[in-house]
Amino acid sequence: MYQILTDSCCDVPYELLEENNVDFISMYVSIDGTEFADDLGRSFKIDDFYQKIKDGAMPTTSQVNVGRYVEFFRSYAEKNVPILYICFSSGMSGSYQSAMQAVEILKEDLPDAEVYVVDSLAASGGEGLMVYEAAKKQQAGMTINDLYQWLEDNKLTYHHWVTVDDLNHLQRGGRISKTSAAIGGLMNIKPIITVDVEGKLQNVEKVRGRKKALQLVADKIADATTDPVNQTIFITTSADQVGAEEVKRHLEESIHPKEIRIFPLGTTIASHTGLGCIAVFTRGEKRD
């Protein structure tokens, strides 16, 4: 038996990972002078975190360093358990590079350690959906070698479509200019964001009004989903359950997917999006 690992940027509840025998390593978040591990809700209430952002707090995040990765991997390697780690996109973080350095260090002590690292080129529920489907394939009997190759061959089939409501939060975090935030706010502009083949965020469209943004995100996901009757779709949101349910309804009416699951956006990703982010994830043809 081998162990699937991931990190807290997968944005699925820790209970779902436990149910599927997946372990994870936490990013760290600082808010109001306090640093805590993003442990996917195991030790904190996500609504309390959202409230702090609503009250004006600007959280910051830190990636997993090499030393923490070494210890994380070592806990399995010392027991001769092969590891398959599905990592947050290298296009958004240096975590993948740190993980690869950690494998080199680990193998200096444990040269026979079997460690596979997959750069997911995904984030939030896109990474989470990949982890979830990988766990199902493991449970169906797929070997670690075959699963690693399947993930490498198919990771670009995971599609991300996102809209963000809080332009002022993006401005305070330095992601858009103050002028852009002010004009966008006055004109009720909502960005439509995707993840490209390098695992980087790309702002591809702007629409006026939240309702249009949610409809467009749903349409993009519907177009991307090639086999809806067999497809589970994940939605993550930072404190807009009503909007997430609206997107879910659009998708249920248009393509009738096998299943749609809604989860809170995790503290690491929400630190960068602010409140009102809705992100939707599916599988289809390779993204281009």
Side-chain angles (χ1 to χ4, degrees):
M1 181 57 73
Y2 58 94
Q3 181 64 49
I4 296 176
L5 307 176
T6 189
D7 50 63
S8 57
C9 287
C10 70
D11 283 359
V12 296
Y14 73 90
E15 297 96 336
L16 181 66
L17 297 181
E18 287 183 350
E19 288 168 11
N20 289 282
N21 191 37
V22 176
D23 197 4
F24 70 95
I25 191 167
S26 295
M27 305 289 175
Y28 274 80
V29 178
S30 295
I31 189 167
D32 287 343
T34 301
E35 185 179 62
F36 67 94
D38 178 3
D39 60 9
L40 300 174
R42 182 180 277 145
S43 65
F44 63 87
K45 292 182 179 178
I46 189 70
D47 287 342
D48 293 343
F49 177 79
Y50 291 159
Q51 185 61 49
K52 289 182 178 181
I53 294 179
K54 187 176 181 180
D55 292 340
M58 275 299 295
T60 59
T61 62
S62 58
Q63 66 189 44
V64 181
N65 63 38
V66 175
R68 287 184 59 222
Y69 271 127
V70 171
E71 294 311 307
F72 185 49
F73 296 156
R74 185 187 300 276
S75 64
Y76 291 98
E78 287 183 338
K79 300 172 187 173
N80 295 315
V81 176
I83 296 164
L84 175 61
Y85 172 51
I86 302 172
C87 184
F88 182 41
S89 174
S90 64
M92 301 183 209
S93 168
S95 294
Y96 172 72
Q97 287 77 14
S98 295
M100 295 303 290
Q101 291 175 35
V103 173
E104 292 180 10
I105 293 170
L106 179 70
K107 288 196 172 187
E108 291 175 2
D109 293 336
L110 299 167
D112 294 330
E114 193 175 355
V115 185
Y116 298 79
V117 179
V118 177
D119 178 3
S120 70
L121 301 176
S124 188
E127 181 184 351
L129 185 59
M130 190 182 301
V131 170
Y132 177 73
E133 294 187 340
K136 296 304 180 187
K137 290 184 181 298
Q138 180 191 36
Q139 292 160 20
M142 186 174 282
T143 67
I144 189 170
N145 307 73
D146 288 347
L147 182 52
Y148 171 75
Q149 193 58 56
W150 185 90
L151 288 166
E152 287 295 331
D153 291 343
N154 288 276
K155 60 188 178 182
L156 289 178
T157 65
Y158 289 85
H159 292 256
H160 309 55
W161 286 97
V162 185
T163 188
V164 177
D165 197 42
D166 188 354
L167 297 184
N168 289 321
H169 184 93
L170 294 181
Q171 180 267 314
R172 290 194 299 270
R175 292 167 193 90
I176 60 173
S177 70
K178 192 171 184 178
T179 301
S180 294
I183 293 173
L186 286 171
M187 297 184 66
N188 199 22
I189 297 295
K190 307 300 177 186
I192 306 298
I193 301 165
T194 192
V195 174
D196 66 16
V197 295
E198 295 179 341
K200 297 177 180 179
L201 294 173
Q202 293 291 339
N203 189 346
V204 295
E205 203 164 338
K206 297 174 184 176
V207 296
R208 293 187 68 175
R210 179 70 163 175
K211 195 171 187 67
K212 286 183 180 178
L214 297 181
Q215 180 68 65
L216 183 56
V217 165
D219 290 344
K220 294 286 190 182
I221 287 291
D223 289 344
T225 307
T226 53
D227 186 20
V229 70
N230 293 309
Q231 184 58 50
T232 294
I233 292 172
F234 282 180
I235 301 174
T236 58
T237 179
S238 49
D240 187 5
Q241 187 70 21
V242 172
E245 293 287 351
E246 184 175 343
V247 172
K248 179 181 178 180
R249 178 177 56 79
H250 285 317
L251 290 168
E252 287 175 338
E253 291 175 353
S254 61
I255 60 170
H256 315 292
K258 174 186 174 183
E259 178 185 30
I260 301 176
R261 304 183 72 166
I262 300 174
F263 304 120
L265 196 69
T267 58
T268 301
I269 305 296
S271 295
H272 299 280
T273 66
L275 301 186
C277 174
I278 291 181
V280 195
F281 312 92
T282 191
R283 278 194 63 223
E285 300 295 329
K286 286 188 176 182
R287 59 187 191 246
D288 53 27

